[in-house]
Amino acid sequence: MGAALADMNIHSIQDLFEYFPYRYEDFRLRDLAEVKHEERVTVEGVIHGEPSLMYHGRKKSRLTVRLLVDRYLIKVVFFNQPYLKQKMTVNETITVTGKWDQHRQTITANQMSVGENQKKQEFEPVYAIKGKVTVKGLRKHIHNAFAQFGSQITEILPEELLQRYRLMNRRDALKLMHFPQGAEDVKQARRRFVYEEFLLFQLKMQALRKFEREQSPGIAQSYQTTAVQEFIKGLPFPLTNAQQRVVNEVLSDMNSSYRMNRLLQGDVGSGKTVVAAITLYASITAGYQGALMVPTEILAEQHAESLTALLSPFGIECRLLTSSVKGKKRREILGELADGNIDVLIGTHALIQDDVSFKNLGLVITDEQHRFGVEQRRVLREKGESPDVLFMTATPIPRTLAITVFGEMDVSVIDEMPAGRKTIETYWAKHDMLDRVLGFMEKELAQGRQAYVICPLIEESDKLDVQNAIDVHHTLSVYFGSRYKVGLMHGRLNSAEKDAIMQEFTENKSQVLVSTTVVEVGVNVPNATFMLIYDAERFGLSQLHQLRGRVGRGEFQSYCILLADPKNEVGKERMRIMTETNDGFELSEKDLELRGPGDFFGKKQSGMPEFRVADMVHDYRALETARNDAAVMVQSTAFWQSEKYRSLRQTLEASGVLAGEKLD
Ligand code: ADP
Ligand code: MG
């Protein structure tokens, strides 16, 4: 048994106490009128008419019976339990448990007993089990553990927190998680553990943040305030309030002696580039060099162009370094960089290769930070003495996720768009409306505008992606004939080819650009006003929003058409949400709700912490509260010294966070 439990990660009595049910089965009878659609329910009723059994193939079957429950006549369906038919007798009472479909007035049941409900009082925890362990056995173990060791369970939260939030003490809460009388018990017990779990997690993050600040002193960059103000005045537009606030936050980090580790979030088009330019300029006036790192060559080129335009009038030297800069040119740049003749270096990951060394690197900015691996970010942070680091992202990250995944970073948000932006009109069309959509597109082209056509992402195969884009390119080339030129861009082209195609589109030598998702980030062609996204249901909301951000960048009204035949409700809901809002943060919150935290960043780099009881989406208020409490605690001497926080400190220590920190 010990080994079987160990397989479930239960190694101690404490683990056993904290092995919580993942749901509760409520066997108490309820009035069907009060049961919500898709809720689980137990009912007792009289069999009304012969049950019918149908087979689909050898193993699959469907057993249907009509049941009179109080005054309702409902249907009960059992899948793949044909043997139950023999136990059913017309006009006899049975008790069934299952999921209630309100529209069909049907219960899809998985449990049945003959006769009246035997468990009228029962509210039973359901545990995830493995191997030889049974739910019954596990419950017995837990029961015994409480009998023997229950009195040894101690509180870890200070009394004042329990009182402030009216939380149950740890022993009672543990007991109710396993042996509740009803839903209210579970709710109260859960409330306590949600807070405890978030608080411990946030204490960890806040402690890490504190240690990182104390242990990796940075450079206090004494930038020239007046020069920076002049620079801001010289911009072609006034900063938005949000930009100004974020600039202040970043500058004050740079000015202080700890090392900046800041995440800057701003929706597409919110004006992050200017913020980058201002902070780079400030760093230069303090006598340092700056670097901007982006994920693709196209983006690097565009950034180099816009930064040069903003900075060179002030005598700042900007250079582009990508992997296509080779040989003599590359050596020249490296030399100038080491001499300090170059002030700002812009590029892809080529920036963090070993042979690239700066004379005096003070500030590093990365754009689209979550596309860079953690390792690349670390290498970047280790370049130069201890440069301040600013991570920029255009993918709005819901606040709950940001303070969880990036809990150890400071976060700035540009939550305001420059004035006068036109909202992009978004429509959802089914595939059979393609002709009309193309007609609409042609109208835009006839007015001198340009269009993007995005082809679906098929994650498993880059090859299929490319083939898809090639097919669509062919179709559209035939459709537009010699009237408009259609370009084709995909991930299989080399960077020179991509550049040539992008260049053509930028200069309006091609009017339509068919592309896989490589145009997703940053690309800026203000004359493009129309975007058509094929198979839009394959994309997440955040990604659709990113794609859509390629249009609406100029003075003209822009349109985005989502071509999609989503098969399920969630897919349809996503299309509807896209047509209803242009707000990236709102979309990201919805995305989180629809896809869950695990999927938010995609499979490859989730780095999501797992909570046992707490749910970031539903319990976000508790998360905010715990975060604020943790931030205050970590900064107080009491937390590190006082007796009342001892258990919390010990819990943190056990999780390895306080390694190297001396406890009293
Ligand atoms: P993103 O945050 O997507 O990187 P950009 O920095 O590319 O956004 O800015 C988008 C556009 O908005 C650019 O053309 C930029 O010049 C313009 N812009 C930025 N800030 C302002 C502002 N405060 N007022 C008006 N236009 C602005
Ligand atoms: Mg600093």
Side-chain angles (χ1 to χ4, degrees):
M1 196 67 190
L5 286 175
D7 232 24
M8 289 159 55
N9 260 328
I10 301 175
H11 306 285
S12 64
I13 296 293
Q14 178 167 342
D15 290 344
L16 194 58
F17 283 148
E18 292 177 12
Y19 195 82
F20 294 139
Y22 69 91
R23 69 177 175 86
Y24 297 84
E25 188 81 90
D26 194 346
F27 289 112
R28 293 163 310 168
L29 296 178
R30 287 170 63 195
D31 188 333
L32 275 174
E34 289 163 13
V35 180
K36 293 196 198 85
H37 182 56
E38 305 227 302
E39 235 188 319
R40 283 182 70 82
V41 63
T42 296
V43 296
E44 177 185 290
V46 177
I47 296 181
H48 193 86
E50 274 301 319
S52 85
L53 177 62
M54 291 211 304
Y55 277 93
H56 317 274
R58 270 198 310 148
K59 290 205 180 122
K60 296 194 168 158
S61 72
R62 179 192 162 101
L63 173 62
T64 310
V65 62
R66 290 183 170 278
L67 206 61
L68 189 64
V69 180
D70 299 331
R71 56 193 188 281
Y72 306 100
L73 185 61
I74 65 164
K75 233 195 311 191
V76 178
V77 180
F78 292 89
F79 287 102
N80 311 325
Q81 300 183 65
Y83 45 85
L84 289 178
K85 186 167 188 259
Q86 285 121 41
K87 298 188 184 173
M88 296 175 177
T89 321
V90 178
N91 290 330
E92 299 266 289
T93 298
I94 56 170
T95 301
V96 299
T97 301
K99 196 156 90 174
W100 175 233
D101 183 326
Q102 196 173 33
H103 312 309
R104 298 198 166 84
Q105 298 279 298
T106 299
I107 293 177
T108 305
N110 59 354
Q111 293 193 37
M112 175 190 128
S113 57
V114 178
E116 287 186 1
N117 186 21
Q118 301 299 307
K119 298 181 172 181
K120 277 177 182 145
Q121 286 310 312
E122 295 250 2
F123 189 77
E124 223 175 68
V126 184
Y127 297 90
I129 44 167
K130 243 188 183 173
K132 290 204 182 100
V133 181
T134 60
V135 171
K136 221 170 160 185
L138 185 65
R139 292 187 71 186
K140 212 167 128 203
H141 280 298
I142 296 173
H143 191 273
N144 292 342
F146 267 107
Q148 227 178 323
F149 303 102
S151 62
Q152 292 174 33
I153 298 171
T154 53
E155 185 51 71
I156 60 170
L157 297 177
E159 184 61 31
E160 71 186 53
L161 283 179
L162 295 184
Q163 285 189 4
R164 188 188 311 161
Y165 302 120
R166 290 166 215 257
L167 299 174
M168 207 174 253
N169 76 51
R170 200 163 205 280
R171 188 185 302 143
D172 293 348
L174 278 175
K175 196 139 197 191
L176 287 192
M177 287 298 282
H178 295 289
F179 307 104
Q181 294 295 313
E184 185 58 25
D185 282 355
V186 174
K187 195 173 146 199
Q188 289 306 328
R190 212 187 145 266
R191 237 183 105 239
R192 185 231 141 83
F193 287 110
V194 166
Y195 181 78
E196 175 186 307
E197 205 166 26
F198 280 151
L199 184 73
L200 284 169
F201 180 76
Q202 289 295 341
L203 280 172
K204 213 150 100 176
M205 298 305 255
Q206 301 296 324
L208 279 176
R209 176 159 165 242
K210 178 177 150 79
F211 299 154
E212 163 139 340
R213 282 192 174 190
E214 287 165 2
Q215 284 159 15
S216 66
I219 29 184
Q221 304 198 40
S222 324
Y223 61 90
Q224 296 169 18
T225 319
T226 12
V228 174
Q229 277 164 358
E230 285 306 314
F231 181 80
I232 294 175
K233 268 193 213 138
L235 291 171
F237 40 71
L239 294 183
T240 61
N241 291 332
Q243 282 170 321
Q244 185 65 61
R245 186 187 65 235
V246 166
V247 165
N248 291 343
E249 287 166 354
V250 175
L251 290 183
S252 109
D253 273 3
M254 282 166 57
N255 196 231
S256 82
S257 59
Y258 68 78
R259 206 170 166 194
M260 174 162 71
N261 186 24
R262 187 171 281 279
L263 177 71
L264 168 57
Q265 294 190 60
D267 207 344
V268 263
S270 63
K272 293 182 296 296
T273 315
V274 185
V275 173
I278 297 167
T279 53
L280 286 166
Y281 183 74
S283 184
I284 294 158
T285 69
Y288 294 94
Q289 292 167 297
L292 176 74
M293 191 163 99
V294 297
T296 66
E297 303 223 341
I298 297 176
L299 259 183
E301 281 161 29
Q302 289 202 344
H303 270 296
E305 219 169 274
S306 45
L307 283 180
T308 306
L310 288 163
L311 292 165
S312 66
F314 290 78
I316 307 295
E317 287 294 327
C318 300
R319 289 284 194 292
L320 174 69
L321 185 67
T322 61
S323 49
S324 40
V325 178
K326 292 191 182 100
K328 187 158 165 264
K329 184 99 189 285
R330 184 179 163 87
R331 282 195 301 278
E332 255 171 45
I333 291 181
L334 294 184
E336 283 189 272
L337 196 65
D339 289 344
N341 293 334
I342 294 176
D343 300 306
V344 176
L345 189 65
I346 297 137
T348 51
H349 55 272
L351 284 195
I352 52 171
Q353 273 150 25
D354 277 343
D355 61 342
V356 182
S357 49
F358 292 77
K359 182 172 180 225
N360 196 7
L361 183 61
L363 173 64
V364 174
I365 301 178
T366 72
D367 200 1
E368 279 310 310
Q369 60 80 32
H370 70 261
R371 293 182 170 236
F372 288 113
V374 174
E375 184 56 16
Q376 282 169 318
R377 265 148 58 187
R378 194 184 58 76
V379 175
L380 194 68
R381 269 173 81 75
E382 281 172 2
K383 289 223 156 243
E385 278 312 299
S386 313
D388 285 323
V389 183
L390 180 67
F391 300 100
M392 302 201 298
T393 174
T395 312
I397 302 163
R399 192 178 146 72
T400 45
L401 271 192
I403 65 181
T404 315
V405 181
F406 304 106
E408 88 292 4
M409 294 171 98
D410 295 296
V411 179
S412 289
V413 182
I414 308 184
D415 50 6
E416 179 187 357
M417 286 286 176
R421 228 13 97 68
K422 286 203 175 67
T423 54
I424 301 160
E425 285 180 26
T426 303
Y427 301 99
W428 165 26
K430 304 255 165 86
H431 276 91
D432 56 16
M433 290 162 74
L434 184 60
D435 277 348
R436 281 174 59 192
V437 171
L438 292 182
F440 184 1
M441 182 161 145
E442 182 147 13
K443 261 196 200 150
E444 281 295 297
L445 298 176
Q447 289 177 35
R449 303 286 84 78
Q450 288 166 277
Y452 291 104
V453 177
I454 307 296
C455 292
L457 157 116
I458 300 165
E459 266 186 58
E460 300 79 48
S461 164
D462 184 33
K463 246 190 213 155
L464 281 177
D465 257 19
V466 172
Q467 191 50 47
N468 222 324
I470 292 171
D471 292 346
V472 170
H473 175 255
H474 179 75
T475 311
L476 294 184
S477 300
V478 172
Y479 183 90
F480 289 119
S482 61
R483 302 195 297 287
Y484 301 106
K485 180 157 189 217
V486 184
L488 172 63
M489 167 90 103
H490 56 69
R492 286 293 171 87
L493 302 174
N494 66 36
S495 60
E497 290 167 323
K498 279 186 200 160
D499 281 357
I501 285 162
M502 203 60 226
Q503 196 66 22
E504 217 181 54
F505 189 66
T506 312
E507 291 168 6
N508 200 358
K509 286 180 184 151
S510 64
Q511 289 71 44
V512 179
L513 182 63
V514 174
S515 175
T516 54
T517 50
V518 289
V519 295
E520 187 187 337
V521 252
V523 174
N524 191 24
V525 181
N527 190 48
T529 56
F530 190 95
M531 170 163 288
L532 170 59
I533 304 178
Y534 271 79
D535 297 327
E537 76 272 14
R538 289 177 185 266
F539 300 93
L541 286 175
S542 294
Q543 202 180 10
L544 286 173
H545 182 62
Q546 286 290 315
L547 287 167
R548 179 169 64 180
R550 297 312 102 217
V551 296
R553 302 178 78 82
E555 57 193 292
F556 311 105
Q557 177 59 53
S558 291
Y559 306 92
C560 175
I561 312 292
L562 309 168
L563 205 57
D565 295 288
K567 287 178 190 61
N568 55 32
E569 275 309 313
V570 173
K572 287 177 192 161
E573 177 71 7
R574 294 221 309 258
M575 295 307 113
R576 273 196 294 271
I577 294 169
M578 280 303 293
T579 61
E580 282 162 12
T581 179
N582 268 292
D583 180 331
F585 279 96
E586 194 180 326
L587 283 168
S588 77
E589 299 282 352
K590 287 277 192 321
D591 213 12
L592 180 61
E593 263 171 50
L594 292 176
R595 292 204 291 176
D599 281 341
F600 190 82
F601 292 108
K603 286 182 201 96
K604 279 177 205 127
Q605 39 189 330
S606 98
M608 292 295 308
E610 283 188 20
F611 296 111
R612 276 184 196 190
V613 185
D615 177 317
M616 267 184 282
V617 180
H618 292 106
D619 305 318
Y620 71 95
R621 280 208 199 88
L623 177 57
E624 296 270 353
T625 307
R627 167 157 160 120
N628 294 338
D629 291 345
V632 172
M633 269 187 224
V634 165
Q635 294 307 324
S636 71
T637 13
F639 179 75
W640 301 102
Q641 285 165 11
S642 150
E643 185 55 35
K644 70 175 174 183
Y645 293 110
R646 178 193 286 273
S647 311
L648 267 185
R649 284 199 302 271
Q650 281 169 346
T651 314
L652 275 191
E653 188 180 32
S655 70
V657 182
L658 306 186
E661 265 294 304
K662 261 186 88 186
L663 292 172
D664 56 341

